[in-house]
Amino acid sequence: MQDRLGRTIDYVRISVTDRCNLRCRYCMPEEGVPMLQHEDILRFEEITAFMRVAVGQGIVKVRLTGGEPLNRPGIVNLVRMLLDIPGLKDLSLTTNGTLLPQFAPHLKAAGLKRINIGLPSLDPATYAYLTRLGSLDQALAGLKAAIDTGFSPVKLNVVVLRGVNDDLAPYLDLTRRLPVEVRFIEYMTIGPLGEDHYLVPAAELRRKLEALAALEPAEKPQGNGPAQQYFRIPGAPGTVAIIAPMTEHFCPTCNRLRLVADGHLRLCLFGADEIDIKPALRPTVDEEALRRLLEQAMQQKPECMPDTARDYGRAMGSIGG
Ligand code: SAM
Ligand code: SF4
């Protein structure tokens, strides 16, 4: 599919739940987000019916996210159902990792290959502070489970907050030991903390990395992720990269739509503009109507919003990142 600006849209991020077992300060308020009613949440059959149409229209890549996707009962079944769609080339999952010791083998057996883990600190106290309800030991057990189960690549998402978790050295050390792709992500002010002073711009992150180690360029891994350049310490099994949605936004090459758990297609992470697809799914699936809604999304998808948007309509934890 091409949008009205000629951008190829071939990627859908599906937020399967707004619930989460953590409350990361950069993502959710302490009390969580207002919970959706059970009947408002798309059933797996509905998600799959929509994705079958979307894949028919040119979507090749899907990521499951949340909230915490492993909190959604039966998530392994959804993985199987999506992987059954002919033409879907790539399915991945973003998780906080804490439930991976239990889920990793089942996800692997269902056919999932790629996992991203949100790991905002390698210091136990900072991790507990940032996630409010999490323990670093649990998250590291999840990371180990992902690697031991054979997921590859395993990417780590690190949202960097100035003065909180902006010491990047422990992550560089981790890449010396483990085959992980660490992605330092600029804090997006869409988060509940709001304030801009937490944002560490990509240029500064780059300088910090260069001051810590002599890095060499690494090959860009499979997939068309938002990180442009990957680096590694010579000989290290892991890599580092920077994702800069705020200061070097990638709107001109944006390739994605987001499906929120309550059945709204979100056209841009930063904008409240959404299209409700439930009327095309209930009471029965209307494939023609779904195609029309996708076409509408292509016409309506905004050009670029990060600099101007102030009304996001939802918390990050409900959009799915
Ligand atoms: N619970 C899963 C997790 O934590 O990875 C999936 C959902 S979470 C909303 C998806 C990703 O959004 C996180 O990994 C984190 O990197 C990113 N994220 C959340 N809040 C953010 C913020 N304010 N700025 C930048 N990235 C953010
Ligand atoms: Fe939950 Fe992920 Fe948001 Fe943290 S970043 S609160 S783990 S949804």
Side-chain angles (χ1 to χ4, degrees):
M1 281 185 292
Q2 286 210 324
D3 74 359
R4 71 194 157 87
L5 301 166
R7 294 176 294 194
T8 298
I9 309 299
D10 60 3
Y11 175 27
V12 175
R13 294 175 66 99
I14 305 174
S15 172
V16 294
T17 178
D18 57 337
R19 302 185 184 194
C20 186
N21 56 340
L22 304 184
R23 295 280 185 280
C24 301
R25 287 171 193 271
Y26 46 80
C27 175
M28 279 200 198
E30 185 157 20
E31 65 281 10
V33 293
M35 283 210 189
L36 295 170
Q37 297 301 308
H38 183 70
E39 61 275 15
D40 290 335
I41 296 177
L42 290 188
R43 298 195 308 272
F44 289 168
E45 292 73 17
E46 294 172 327
I47 294 174
T48 310
F50 167 71
M51 282 316 307
R52 202 167 280 125
V53 171
V55 169
Q57 298 300 105
I59 299 295
V60 292
K61 184 174 154 182
V62 170
R63 173 172 298 278
L64 299 176
T65 174
E68 174 47 44
L70 301 185
N71 274 162
R72 172 97 189 239
I75 187 70
V76 178
N77 289 334
L78 180 63
V79 168
R80 274 196 214 99
M81 290 161 79
L82 291 172
L83 285 173
D84 266 351
I85 299 176
L88 180 65
K89 297 200 181 117
D90 184 56
L91 179 68
S92 54
L93 174 111
T94 298
T95 167
N96 61 40
T98 55
L99 298 173
L100 278 176
Q102 175 190 341
F103 277 97
H106 301 291
L107 291 166
K108 189 82 194 337
L112 188 75
K113 297 205 169 52
R114 305 202 296 116
I115 287 192
N116 289 12
I117 300 175
L119 190 63
S121 180
L122 292 170
D123 171 72
T126 309
Y127 183 90
Y129 169 76
L130 270 173
T131 61
R132 289 197 184 101
L133 303 174
S135 96
L136 180 63
D137 280 351
Q138 243 178 319
L140 290 179
L143 170 59
K144 182 172 182 317
I147 293 173
D148 290 352
T149 312
F151 283 101
S152 177
V154 173
K155 298 186 184 179
L156 300 183
N157 288 348
V158 184
V159 179
V160 181
L161 300 186
R162 186 181 301 284
V164 183
N165 64 341
D166 53 357
D167 177 7
L168 312 186
Y171 289 101
L172 275 178
D173 281 346
L174 195 72
T175 68
R176 288 182 218 266
R177 289 183 279 119
L178 297 178
V180 288
E181 293 172 11
V182 179
R183 293 124 43 94
F184 299 109
I185 302 176
E186 284 181 342
Y187 166 64
M188 292 184 243
T189 45
I190 179 172
L193 294 170
E195 300 91 338
D196 292 347
H197 70 260
Y198 283 114
L199 168 66
V200 184
E204 191 177 335
L205 288 171
R206 238 170 254 129
R207 283 198 298 276
K208 274 174 171 288
L209 285 173
E210 282 161 8
L212 286 168
L215 298 170
E216 63 181 23
E219 64 290 356
K220 191 167 165 24
Q222 169 208 351
N224 177 21
Q228 291 310 322
Q229 286 171 300
Y230 284 75
F231 301 94
R232 68 155 45 90
I233 297 173
T239 59
V240 292
I242 293 169
I243 299 183
M246 297 301 287
T247 64
E248 297 166 11
H249 30 75
F250 21 86
C251 310
T253 55
C254 184
N255 62 346
R256 61 200 58 192
L257 290 174
R258 293 174 166 81
L259 179 62
V260 182
D262 64 4
H264 285 79
L265 260 188
R266 183 153 175 124
L267 308 178
C268 171
L269 174 59
F270 290 92
D273 202 7
E274 297 182 347
I275 298 174
D276 187 2
I277 64 163
K278 280 203 298 301
L281 290 168
R282 298 176 182 179
T284 53
V285 175
D286 180 343
E287 294 197 349
E288 195 42 50
L290 287 172
R291 270 189 282 275
R292 278 199 302 275
L293 292 176
L294 279 167
E295 181 47 37
Q296 184 188 336
M298 292 305 96
Q299 295 309 319
Q300 241 171 276
K301 190 171 158 61
E303 183 169 357
C304 200
M305 299 207 70
D307 293 337
T308 52
R310 281 293 165 259
D311 173 18
Y312 306 122
R314 293 178 191 261
M316 187 72 126
S318 125
I319 304 168

